[in-house]
Amino acid sequence: MDFDLPDDDDPRRQHARGWLADHPSPSGRELAEAGFVAPHWPRPWGLGADPVHQLVIDDELRRAGVSRPVNPIGIGWAGPTLLHAGTDEQKHRYLMPLLAGEEMWCQLFSEPGAGSDLAALGTRAVRDGDEWVVTGQKIWTSLAQFARFGILIARTDPDAGKHTGISYFVCPMDAPGITIRPIIEMTGAHTFNEVFLDGVRLPAANLVGDVGKGWGLAKVTLANERVSLSSGGALWGQGPTAGDLLDAVRDAGGTADAGLRDRLVRLHIEGEVLRLIRLRTVSAAVQGREPGPEASIRKVLADEHGQHVFGLAKDLAGAGGMLSDVGPLGGPAGVWHHGFLFAPALTVGGGTGEVQRNIIGERVLGLPHEPDAEAGRTWAETRRA
Ligand SMILES: Cc1cc2nc3c(=O)[nH]c(=O)nc-3n(C[C@H](O)[C@H](O)[C@H](O)COP(=O)(O)OP(=O)(O)OC[C@H]3O[C@@H](n4cnc5c(N)ncnc54)[C@H](O)[C@@H]3O)c2cc1C
């Protein structure tokens, strides 16, 4: 890592530390109004903070034991897209409650027939006077059951090209015509849903950006990533790391099994490679360089690494691992069992491993595009042709 965080006398650090001393248990609203929830956003929602300033604020929040409001889709994706293309009215209406965690958001993008090939979406939005009438079905909509609003992409011009007839909307999740049906994961949790839109009427003011420009905005949404020195948990940055599994193995007295020991060493090496890639990404941001191909490469490696961590944790539990409450080497199950059941989702959500490899192949290695992607033919049709 070729940068150091500023010392105690740095004015940005002193400002954050002083504010936190005055607000020892800040509410989400207070943190949002201080600009500490998304410091890299422009004022009045953030502090226009550069990467070093962001990391200083993270450091001070951690030191004070203060957590930011939880609203991953709102803060991570909807907010940056509204900042990029929203009207002043939209920014003033939505951004502060979103940052404060007072209004949760969800993402109405994927459909039963449009996941990796998102631009194949079939949900229609038809203009009717001052309103848009939306009909279609979305799926895998995380947090829809808690959300006040969703970011929605729908086809507004079926005669236009695949990528040019799509528009981007804010959809109130309590609008008449919306039905939310839960999907229960194999972890037993209810995180995502099917969402049916049956003649949902959205005011024209809920269009974000221009009609037909929704595909470009969807790409803005999907590209957003904050600079973060997070601990690099194996479940999309959350949860335990390979190091935590090694600690659990040590605490349980270690293992003499040569095969398991070999896998533990490999896991440690993977974890270190990922830690160095993450530091390189942060380092590039701190120096003002554009993110490189590291993001796709890191996602491919990190998602599979997460599966290796939890797969090995399960194997270390031996036959006891068939039970939900037995962890590595007979120790506590803790998060290991849940993580094992969740881990298959890592290589699917947010762009599958295969799709990330396509991106790396085309943009990093300079390989030719997928056959006939532009012609709109499927792989099977291409093979038949
Ligand atoms: C935990 C989780 C949370 C999610 N939350 C949301 C959410 O809140 N909102 C939302 O809109 N979506 C959400 N999703 C959906 C997610 O974005 C999609 O699952 C993902 O885009 C893949 O689409 P799909 O499931 O339709 O699979 P498909 O696209 O049908 O893919 C099926 C298989 O074919 C492969 N494949 C597809 N195209 C290609 C290709 N061109 N080359 C090689 N292989 C290919 C894939 O890699 C995969 O193995 C979530 C998913 C998960 C797992």
Side-chain angles (χ1 to χ4, degrees), residues 119-284:
L121 62 89
T123 294
R124 285 291 319 275
V126 178
R127 185 76 189 233
D128 181 21
D130 279 346
E131 294 178 318
W132 291 92
V133 184
V134 184
T135 301
Q137 184 195 342
K138 299 290 176 176
I139 195 168
W140 316 123
T141 316
S142 306
L143 308 173
Q145 72 273 36
F146 305 117
R148 174 85 181 81
F149 297 105
I151 39 176
L152 165 78
I153 48 176
R155 193 162 296 287
T156 43
D157 184 354
D159 299 325
K162 185 174 173 184
H163 297 88
T164 51
I166 295 173
S167 301
Y168 196 112
F169 300 91
V170 171
C171 178
M173 294 305 289
D174 57 357
I178 293 187
T179 307
I180 300 171
R181 194 185 289 169
I183 301 174
I184 308 298
E185 301 162 20
M186 67 177 169
T187 59
H190 169 203
T191 309
F192 43 40
N193 305 269
E194 291 179 288
V195 177
F196 299 87
L197 302 117
D198 185 9
V200 176
R201 303 190 82 87
L202 301 178
N206 286 28
L207 177 76
V208 183
D210 295 326
V211 176
K213 300 287 184 205
W215 183 248
L217 290 186
K219 288 204 281 190
V220 171
T221 299
L222 297 174
N224 255 285
E225 196 178 2
R226 259 189 78 247
V227 177
S228 160
L229 267 179
S230 75
S231 65
L235 296 171
W236 285 331
Q238 310 292 315
T241 60
D244 294 326
L245 180 60
L246 285 158
D247 287 343
V249 169
R250 266 185 226 106
D251 291 347
T255 172
D257 182 297
L260 291 173
R261 289 167 72 96
D262 183 56
R263 284 171 68 192
L264 283 164
V265 171
R266 287 171 192 272
L267 203 66
H268 171 71
I269 293 169
E270 273 181 16
E272 281 301 289
V273 168
L274 278 161
R275 191 175 66 81
L276 295 172
I277 292 177
R278 199 168 63 248
L279 289 177
R280 184 189 277 182
T281 311
V282 174
S283 191

Side-chain angles (χ1 to χ4, degrees), residues 107 109-110 115-116 140-142 192 236 345 348-350 352 354 358 370 379:
Q107 178 180 315
F109 280 20
S110 303
S116 302
W140 316 123
T141 316
S142 306
F192 43 40
W236 285 331
V348 177
T352 67
E354 290 78 12
N358 283 349
E370 278 192 69
W379 278 67

Side-chain angles (χ1 to χ4, degrees), residues 2 22 73 117 171 200 228 231 242 267 309 323 333 359 375 378:
D2 46 6
D22 292 342
I73 294 170
D117 188 9
C171 178
V200 176
S228 160
S231 65
L267 203 66
V309 169
L323 305 173
I359 294 172
T378 64

Side-chain angles (χ1 to χ4, degrees), residues 281-315:
T281 311
V282 174
S283 191
V286 166
Q287 287 159 20
R289 284 190 270 123
E290 285 296 309
E294 291 93 352
S296 283
I297 294 172
R298 190 185 56 181
K299 181 161 167 44
V300 166
L301 293 177
D303 292 348
E304 290 176 5
H305 175 66
Q307 293 174 349
H308 297 163
V309 169
F310 291 101
L312 182 50
K314 231 347 152 193
D315 290 348

